[in-house]
Amino acid sequence: MQSHPNVRAVQDALDGADARNGSGTPAKVRLLPDAVHTAAAAAEALGVDVGAIANSLVFDADGAPLLVLTSGAHRVDTAGLAARLAVTRLRRATPQFVKEHTGQVIGGVAPVGHPQPLRTLVDTALDKYDEIWAAGGVPQAVFPTTYAELLRVTGGTPTDVA
């Protein structure tokens, strides 16, 4: 699975950005024994607080992709976020829309490694964790990082999304 093209794309993006984990060493994609399709499942598999999981949620924002990296501890307030972004319609993207814009499937969408950079918002609630975990391109792949690194490597905007 380490040779899966999505995992390679994510690791290449992390390496290209010199991404670091919470210990300051290079961020490396890690494969779990089983797929983790939810923040709760990922947190349990990793032995971390569910809030330390950075969910990668793709939204259709008036037809354009919007990646929201949110803490697994809460949900995105789509109405409030749409108003703040001056978007007429903000809705969860279809699996086809997600695959088209990220090259990845729902449940494994990483913050990086997409065919083209996506407009990205990073939940400010993730800032309280020394290390956070994000998906690595497939449902059983994850990688450790920090809030500051997530902002840096994605070019994301810090946002209160709940």
Side-chain angles (χ1 to χ4, degrees):
M1 183 59 66
Q2 192 72 19
S3 64
H4 189 284
N6 290 354
V7 175
R8 280 197 315 271
V10 171
Q11 190 62 62
D12 289 349
L14 293 171
D15 292 345
D18 194 29
R20 300 290 162 171
N21 63 24
S23 302
T25 60
K28 297 292 179 194
V29 176
R30 179 167 140 193
L31 295 175
L32 300 173
D34 298 304
V36 289
H37 293 280
T38 66
E44 184 175 331
L46 294 164
V48 300
D49 187 276
V50 71
I53 303 298
N55 277 339
S56 297
L57 304 177
V58 178
F59 291 89
D60 179 335
D62 290 340
L66 173 68
L67 178 60
V68 178
L69 303 174
T70 185
S71 168
H74 59 251
R75 295 193 178 273
V76 173
D77 172 8
T78 54
L81 192 56
R84 285 196 303 273
L85 297 173
V87 171
T88 306
R89 189 169 181 199
L90 182 68
R91 59 188 169 116
R92 285 299 273 281
T94 65
Q96 297 80 10
F97 188 90
V98 171
K99 179 86 169 161
E100 175 187 346
H101 292 285
T102 68
Q104 303 163 1
V105 297
I106 292 173
V109 174
V112 296
H114 312 132
Q116 299 293 322
L118 299 177
R119 180 179 184 189
T120 303
L121 305 179
V122 183
D123 189 352
T124 54
L126 291 166
D127 192 27
K128 73 178 189 177
Y129 297 96
D130 293 333
E131 186 166 72
I132 54 180
W133 289 83
V138 295
Q140 57 268 48
V142 295
F143 68 92
T145 189
T146 66
Y147 179 73
E149 281 292 274
L150 203 53
L151 286 169
R152 186 180 70 79
V153 302
T154 64
T157 302
T159 308
D160 177 7
V161 301

